[in-house]
Amino acid sequence: MATVFITGGHSGIGLECSRQLAARGVDLVLAGRSPQRMQAVAEELRTVHDIDVVTVELDTSSLASVRTAAATYGSLIERGAAAPLQALICNAGGRFDGKEKYSPDGYELTFATNCLGHFLLVELLLPAISADGRVVFTASGTHDPDTMDGKLVGAAVEPRAVELANDGLSGAKPLPAGKRYSTSKLCTVMYAYELARRLDRAGSAIASLAYDPGSVPETGFLRNMPKAVQWLAASSLMQSISTYIGVTTSTVAFSGAALADLAVDKRYATVSGKYFQAREGKLRRRQSSKVSYDEERARTLWNDSKRLVGLRSEEEPAHLRRRSGIEPEPQKNNVLSGDEFTGRMM
Ligand SMILES: NC(=O)c1ccc[n+]([C@@H]2O[C@H](COP(=O)([O-])OP(=O)(O)OC[C@H]3O[C@@H](n4cnc5c(N)ncnc54)[C@H](OP(=O)(O)O)[C@@H]3O)[C@@H](O)[C@H]2O)c1
């Protein structure tokens, strides 16, 4: 029986995905920061589908919480109380409007929640993933400034981890929330591609995929917006207008099921390093934004993220260790090194 670890699997697109996986007999690890809501979903899935469900507390904006969650699952595996993972789905995330906020580690909250937490989780859980397993990253079409999705939300800026983590702290004008979000999703796509390249170089058969679930107004995604905006976004009129002007529209049922397919369906076992999009009832492989294919930028994003999360060399999974002659040493770029990357930088 396969086991899938999903962040944010108790609500929205993640919940639909969890239900779909449970219906296929897949055991689940629900990881999130709302224990009561996760327990309620776990009970439902156990009762309806007779599967095993483990819940793990995880706040992706907190590096300490990510480390604790990964260690908790690792020790369950060691004790034989949990199985290796067929897939890790990095799905939790959000857009944070209003004045910029900072994570417990001092990093801008959008980048910390959507990017750094999942980056560290992937690094720490890779050893728990089966040899033929998968990592699926929920990104967003908003990452691409050449699409209507990207234009409406705000064009993504350069995927520079250090600047994004410190957005608003240097005295410069902070990015608007839409751009913080679209850029975090650009980084997510680039993490997926860079992970795919690193796994491939290391001879691993684990696949790494990026996914755009499309614009899905029925979820809690707009919860920080005024009620009138939420109501309007979910109206059938707005859905029709969105589709007409070229927004990538989908439903929570379809996008959740498509995410489940990407995690466990055999059709997606050999498409590592690719980007998929749910749109009007179809899941298709698509091109992502031009910049997302830039390998130099992706390598820098990866190495800077490693320093920002304070990844210790003993934490780095064997799958991803640098092999001589394959990858250049990470640059000591900007002004940052060592411990400076584990906290807020002014
Ligand atoms: N809906 C859309 O139109 C759309 C479009 C493109 C991409 N997406 C992406 O799809 C994914 C799922 O979003 P959704 O639409 O299903 O919205 P949602 O219903 O709000 O689900 C978001 C999930 O992320 C979790 N989450 C947020 N911050 C977290 C944190 N710091 N630690 C742990 N969990 C956290 C939430 O947990 P809590 O319940 O504890 O808040 C919730 O379970 C997100 O990555 C989103 O960016 C959504």
Side-chain angles (χ1 to χ4, degrees):
M1 188 88 69
T3 302
V4 168
F5 187 116
I6 178 168
T7 64
H10 64 278
S11 62
I13 295 163
L15 173 57
E16 283 299 320
C17 175
S18 298
R19 286 184 173 138
Q20 279 287 331
L21 290 169
R24 300 174 201 191
V26 173
D27 293 329
L28 288 168
V29 186
L30 301 178
R33 60 184 174 172
S34 313
Q36 286 177 339
R37 290 168 61 205
M38 289 196 296
Q39 280 302 341
V41 170
E43 270 313 304
E44 173 203 312
L45 299 178
R46 287 185 197 113
T47 308
V48 177
H49 299 290
D50 194 25
I51 57 158
D52 286 338
V53 187
V54 173
T55 61
V56 175
E57 271 194 61
L58 168 67
D59 176 349
T60 59
S61 74
S62 159
L63 300 174
S65 172
V66 173
R67 282 197 163 81
T68 304
T72 302
Y73 196 69
S75 66
L76 285 175
I77 294 184
E78 268 171 31
R79 296 204 314 266
L85 302 170
Q86 190 54 41
L88 166 60
I89 305 180
C90 299
N91 168 76
R95 170 183 164 146
F96 304 98
D97 285 90
K99 192 164 164 44
E100 45 307 333
K101 298 189 186 72
Y102 295 90
S103 73
D105 306 285
Y107 299 142
E108 190 284 312
L109 194 61
T110 321
F111 189 64
T113 304
N114 297 356
C115 298
L116 291 177
H118 282 122
F119 174 84
L120 180 60
L121 188 68
V122 169
E123 290 269 11
L124 299 180
L125 282 183
L126 259 187
I129 299 178
S130 306
D132 63 347
R134 273 171 234 175
V135 182
V136 184
F137 294 84
T138 303
S140 165
T142 60
H143 86 275
D144 185 349
D146 292 333
T147 63
M148 184 53 78
D149 309 80
K151 287 186 174 69
L152 285 178
V153 169
V157 301
E158 277 290 321
R160 292 194 191 112
V162 177
E163 285 172 28
L164 295 169
N166 291 288
D167 183 49
L169 291 172
S170 62
K173 198 171 167 215
L175 292 169
K179 281 179 181 279
R180 290 200 297 263
Y181 178 74
S182 57
T183 308
S184 76
K185 293 302 184 176
L186 169 62
C187 294
T188 301
V189 174
M190 294 175 86
Y191 281 153
Y193 292 170
E194 181 64 13
L195 178 63
R197 285 188 285 268
R198 287 173 186 245
L199 289 166
D200 185 50
R201 282 200 297 263
S204 167
I206 295 174
S208 168
L209 315 177
Y211 173 53
D212 168 26
S215 170
V216 181
E218 310 119 278
T219 69
F221 184 65
L222 295 177
R223 71 180 96 166
N224 297 324
M225 294 281 191
K227 288 274 176 260
V229 174
Q230 294 182 41
W231 176 83
L232 188 64
S235 69
S236 51
L237 174 66
M238 188 50 90
Q239 279 292 86
S240 304
I241 293 172
S242 297
T243 306
Y244 181 74
I245 64 173
V247 171
T248 305
T249 51
S250 186
T251 62
V252 70
F254 183 80
S255 293
L259 181 55
D261 278 347
L262 289 173
V264 297
D265 193 294
K266 284 193 177 66
R267 282 174 296 170
Y268 304 102
T270 56
V271 285
S272 192
K274 304 297 180 211
Y275 173 74
F276 293 84
Q277 185 176 67
R279 185 173 198 148
E280 292 159 45
K282 292 198 171 64
L283 176 64
R284 291 208 176 96
R285 194 168 130 185
R286 312 280 296 198
Q287 286 291 108
S288 52
S289 71
K290 287 188 199 89
V291 73
S292 68
Y293 293 104
D294 186 315
E295 296 190 17
E296 188 57 44
R297 281 182 171 97
R299 193 160 43 233
T300 303
L301 171 70
W302 188 277
N303 289 331
D304 284 352
S305 298
K306 243 161 81 169
R307 295 191 195 95
L308 286 163
V309 303
L311 193 79
R312 297 186 289 274
S313 54
E314 69 272 17
E315 289 179 323
E316 183 149 36
H319 308 69
L320 299 182
R321 273 189 210 128
R322 203 179 320 114
R323 294 194 302 178
S324 59
I326 293 181
E327 190 195 342
E329 282 288 327
Q331 297 290 306
K332 290 225 162 127
N333 58 349
N334 303 337
V335 291
L336 303 161
S337 66
D339 291 342
E340 285 174 299
F341 279 87
T342 61
R344 174 184 292 191
M345 287 165 282
M346 310 292 284

